[in-house]
Amino acid sequence: MQIVNQGGSRIGENALINVGASNDINVVGDATFQILNNDGGQIGGNGNISVTTGGDFTANSILGFVNNRNGGAITSGANIVFDIGGTLTTQGDAVFGISTRNDGAGGGTVGSLATVDLSAASVSVGGFFQTFVATNGGGSIHGDATNTVAISGDLTAQQGILVTIEDTIFGGTGNFTRWANRWRRHRHSECTEHYDPVHQFRNSRYGPYGY
């Protein structure tokens, strides 16, 4: 499920993906929820993804992603909320994030908050688990950048766990970008971690320049 607004396209108001189930969600294959506003796309309101279940969420892999890179513009906020009443289970990766990375044409902008919020009774991931908010290479977030993971039970991932707010000088082209630090405020909630940009630059699972 996705909203595609790339390459200078414009949505005058909100771009919203809302999925809800009173019981379980079971996906045979990959579960993808994306707002693609990169390469000069414009959203006049919010760019939000919301997925809620009363029970479990099971899929081969899960991707929740707001791509606002490379000159994308979201006038208000960008928010990803996964509220899983039971267990979130994947055989492969589970990735949730927002990116305003500069891929060569300039960083994307978010006019207000950028929030990733994942809650579940428990999480079992067969691959890699990652949540992120990223402005690498010169992206801008004009409000709080918040990355929250709140699990009441166990959180397990066979290939690693990475919860980050990324604000490095590395853009998508691999070049240094001088004016990279564009957040007015940032905070971590629930999960906090030390972020080493050099380590992330060398070892990012999703490309050599992180998100």
Side-chain angles (χ1 to χ4, degrees):
M1 182 176 296
Q2 62 183 14
I3 296 172
V4 179
N5 190 53
Q6 300 165 313
S9 299
R10 176 174 173 77
I11 294 173
E13 297 186 12
N14 298 317
L16 306 175
I17 294 176
N18 294 312
V19 177
S22 58
N23 293 310
D24 299 338
I25 293 179
N26 296 294
V27 179
V28 179
D30 300 325
T32 301
F33 308 90
Q34 294 188 105
I35 297 175
L36 303 178
N37 193 56
N38 52 303
D39 299 334
Q42 299 179 50
I43 296 173
N46 294 296
N48 293 346
I49 298 170
S50 176
V51 178
T52 63
T53 71
D56 300 335
F57 192 125
T58 304
N60 180 57
S61 68
I62 298 176
L63 174 64
F65 185 32
V66 176
N67 184 348
N68 194 49
R69 298 172 178 164
N70 212 37
I74 298 174
T75 300
S76 296
N79 303 285
I80 296 175
V81 176
F82 277 70
D83 184 4
I84 309 303
T87 299
L88 186 152
T89 304
T90 66
Q91 295 178 350
D93 298 337
V95 179
F96 311 87
I98 299 166
S99 178
T100 64
R101 189 181 71 191
N102 179 3
D103 284 348
T109 61
V110 175
S112 183
L113 308 177
T115 301
V116 175
D117 189 346
L118 170 66
S119 61
S122 62
V123 173
S124 177
V125 173
F128 194 80
F129 175 88
Q130 183 176 22
T131 67
F132 62 91
V133 178
T135 62
N136 292 327
S140 300
I141 295 170
H142 293 281
D144 290 343
T146 307
N147 188 356
T148 302
V149 177
I151 310 301
S152 57
D154 295 334
L155 168 58
T156 61
Q158 297 303 313
Q159 296 184 22
I161 296 171
L162 184 63
V163 178
T164 60
I165 295 179
E166 303 181 18
D167 189 22
T168 76
I169 60 176
F170 300 109
T173 62
N175 296 324
F176 292 96
T177 304
R178 182 179 180 185
W179 302 111
N181 300 314
R182 299 290 182 87
W183 286 341
R184 293 184 181 176
R185 300 181 299 277
H186 68 276
R187 70 168 182 258
H188 299 266
S189 300
E190 299 293 339
C191 282
T192 61
E193 78 294 320
H194 172 70
Y195 176 58
D196 179 351
V198 174
H199 175 82
Q200 176 68 3
F201 173 70
R202 292 175 178 170
N203 296 292
S204 171
R205 182 177 179 84
Y206 298 98
Y209 315 115
Y211 266 104

